Amino acid sequence: MKERITRSSGNVFIDLGFPKEEATVLAMRAELMARLRSVIADRGWTQQVAAKRLGIGQSRVSDLVRGKWDKFSLDILVTLAARVGQKPSLLLKAA
């Protein structure tokens, strides 16, 4: 039996059936979390050091590095990214 391959829309959350608006926010949160995890890893920070630099508790850093996306709003992820020198931006594309 031949496997059927479906081309991605470019947003995994849309592909999973989330409404477009929710999928957009989820994708932004996922991207910011991935970038924050990369910053922590690239800089060799322990969770304690990351907590101090991010201004949050160590347990929250643990949630971040473990990918618990449901524990972080888009607002807090943008704030955390700014605290470590990132410049998150929103690129709007025509629908």
Side-chain angles (χ1 to χ4, degrees), residues 28 32 35 74 77-83 85-91:
M28 293 170 72
L32 281 167
R35 288 186 185 198
L74 184 55
L77 291 168
V78 169
T79 299
L80 296 176
R83 286 179 183 168
Q86 300 294 297
K87 295 180 182 176
S89 63
L90 176 63
L91 300 174

Side-chain angles (χ1 to χ4, degrees), residues 30-81:
E31 176 67 25
L32 281 167
M33 286 189 77
R35 288 186 185 198
L36 285 164
R37 285 193 309 266
S38 290
V39 166
I40 291 167
D42 292 348
R43 295 181 185 177
W45 290 346
T46 64
Q47 287 189 10
Q48 286 181 321
V49 170
K52 189 171 191 167
R53 301 282 170 90
L54 291 167
I56 59 176
Q58 185 272 326
S59 64
R60 297 284 284 155
V61 174
S62 177
D63 290 339
L64 179 69
V65 299
R66 293 174 61 204
K68 294 190 175 186
W69 59 270
D70 56 322
K71 298 198 178 241
F72 295 90
S73 68
L74 184 55
D75 288 349
I76 191 62
L77 291 168
V78 169
T79 299
L80 296 176

